[in-house]
Amino acid sequence: MSVQQAIREMETLLGKERVLTTIEDLACYAFDATADMPSHRPDAIVLPQTTEEVQAIMRIASKHKTPIYPRGAGTNLSGGTIPLKGGVVVTFQRMNKILEIDAENLTATVQPGVVIQSLNTAVAPYGLIYPPDPGTVSTATMAGSTAECSGGLRGLKYGVTKHYIMGLEVVLANGEKFRCGGKTVKNVTAYDLVKLFTGSEGTLGIITELIVKLIPAPESRKSMLAIFSDLDDAGKAIAGIISAKVIPATLEIMDKTTIQTVESFSHAGLPTDAEAVLLIEVDGIPEVVAKEAESVEEVCKQFKGNVRVAETDKERDQLWAARRAALPALAQKSPTTVLEDATVPRSRIPEMLRAIRQIAKKYDLLIGTFGHAGDGNLHPTILCDERNEEQMKRVHKAVDEIFRVAVDLGGTLSGEHGIGMAKMKYLEWELGATGVDVLRRIKEALDPEYLLNPGKMVAGRN
């Protein structure tokens, strides 16, 4: 009854038109983009328009001990926004304004519901870009991608979301609000609270405003497709490009399963007989781009790669559209698509690729691998059917082994997808019991009742 009382008070606060409770609405917010995760309906969805309304929502939730789930576009791949324990989803569709573009200080100030691509479209006339570039850039929101610390195709050269978040406004579990960071390039005042909340997956506070760093757009760019008849050679070429002192803006890989599926899906002209392709883009000053492109081509040829250079913008766009089609293409090949996020040091990529192949063979599974190979972030994607219980048991064992290998190779559980519900059980492999307990202490200091996104990242004490 306390949850229903909280909802009634939120209706008084926001009006019934901004508190959604129909079965149809609740069903739409019962899941996110994560496959093989149980859906859970919330009790309500609320649509605040101001920070003050978010504060009031949290005060009501705190009074009635009602779970709260901050949600952007729901494109995360770790079960991060599933309302596991019922309660109220807070969605930021109506807090979607770009508040300021400060070209002099190279910053933008935005509300949480701004879509990443919309920000880039807005800053383009100033000759600027916001580099973080997740695959869902046209739908993912600024606060959602910040809460997940998403990466994307440009992570190798430009870094990931945490490298571009300069300041935050955050509402805490008790409804209090505070700001951290700002527009200054240097800021070492006390603990780095901006970094603490970036990647916290909505478990510590609700982001209601962001100050982000912008950079000048590159003057020139050149894209290439390198084709390999051996997966190991492709892996060696990745390390070879970096060893040649070239840091591409983008360095992506697709294996044979992914190539064939994408080509069937998008007809982009990919070589379906190849074992692997690398999709590479260098950018910057025209003279440097030409030199780096030449170096990349030489390295790929050294490792038996055949290189095609995109000569026109149309060819470039077609190449990158093919890469962005990897997940939707694989998803249409089977009823269930389990997309993982195993990340290893670049030098260990060939070993990781071999391990994925061996795991696929061991468990008799079809796994397509693609990802941001330049920064070691691979996405082994298991094509399966969640209705097949025996097969799903094999899938879960394969996923366990993939993460075990990644950690053993000196890698990490997540390069960009976050922990959410999906990877909680693996945390001790990377952090140890003491490390997980540190996470729990931070959580309990800021949200002692576990009201914010409960059941994600770190579990409460038994």
Side-chain angles (χ1 to χ4, degrees), residues 58 115 184 213 220 222 247 260 314 323 326 426 433 435 451 460:
M58 283 312 309
V115 172
T184 59
K213 178 170 69 174
S220 178
K222 187 174 287 291
I247 306 296
Q260 292 177 342
K314 182 179 179 180
R323 165 57 186 87
Y426 306 122
L451 297 180

Side-chain angles (χ1 to χ4, degrees), residues 209-418:
E209 193 175 296
L210 307 90
I211 300 173
V212 300
K213 178 170 69 174
L214 307 173
I215 65 171
E219 295 180 29
S220 178
R221 59 193 180 188
K222 187 174 287 291
S223 295
M224 294 160 276
L225 177 72
I227 304 162
F228 295 86
S229 58
D230 185 272
L231 191 59
D232 285 347
D233 286 338
K236 292 172 184 175
I238 293 163
I241 290 168
I242 306 301
S243 296
K245 306 297 186 293
V246 176
I247 306 296
T250 308
L251 177 48
E252 300 287 301
I253 190 170
M254 292 194 290
D255 72 355
K256 189 168 189 173
T257 297
T258 308
I259 294 165
Q260 292 177 342
T261 305
V262 169
E263 182 57 24
S264 174
F265 180 78
S266 66
H267 307 291
L270 298 178
T272 55
D273 58 342
E275 287 295 323
V277 297
L278 299 181
L279 296 88
I280 308 155
E281 181 165 283
V282 291
D283 66 5
I285 299 170
E287 296 81 3
V288 174
V289 167
K291 182 179 178 181
E292 289 188 342
E294 183 179 335
S295 296
V296 168
E297 193 167 351
E298 289 175 0
V299 169
C300 290
K301 289 179 178 178
Q302 177 186 341
F303 292 101
K304 306 174 187 176
N306 177 29
V307 180
R308 299 179 189 171
V309 178
E311 300 294 346
T312 65
D313 284 344
K314 182 179 179 180
E315 289 180 1
R316 175 193 177 273
D317 291 344
Q318 189 175 33
L319 186 65
W320 293 111
R323 165 57 186 87
R324 291 191 185 278
L327 180 55
L330 289 166
Q332 57 85 42
K333 195 175 178 68
S334 64
T336 306
T337 307
V338 178
L339 174 67
E340 293 302 347
D341 175 35
T343 305
V344 297
R346 278 190 295 263
S347 61
R348 312 303 293 271
I349 287 176
E351 294 170 79
M352 191 70 217
L353 291 171
R354 285 194 294 271
I356 292 169
R357 282 186 298 181
Q358 291 165 0
I359 291 168
K361 184 177 181 180
K362 176 179 178 180
Y363 292 104
D364 189 23
L365 295 168
L366 182 60
I367 301 181
T369 299
F370 65 96
H372 321 302
D375 52 29
N377 187 190
L378 299 176
H379 295 311
T381 306
I382 306 174
L383 308 181
C384 52
D385 186 343
E386 63 184 355
R387 296 168 297 185
N388 185 332
E389 293 184 10
E390 186 276 330
Q391 184 188 51
M392 293 310 295
K393 288 179 181 178
R394 288 185 275 122
V395 169
H396 296 151
K397 289 179 180 178
V399 170
D400 289 348
E401 287 200 24
I402 287 169
F403 285 118
R404 181 77 267 176
V405 170
V407 173
D408 288 347
L409 289 175
T412 183
L413 297 171
S414 179
E416 59 186 10
H417 290 175

Side-chain angles (χ1 to χ4, degrees), residues 13 58 104 106 130 161 184 189 193 283 290 361 376 392:
L13 171 71
M58 283 312 309
E104 185 175 2
L106 297 180
Y130 173 72
T161 299
T184 59
T189 301
L193 296 177
D283 66 5
K361 184 177 181 180
M392 293 310 295

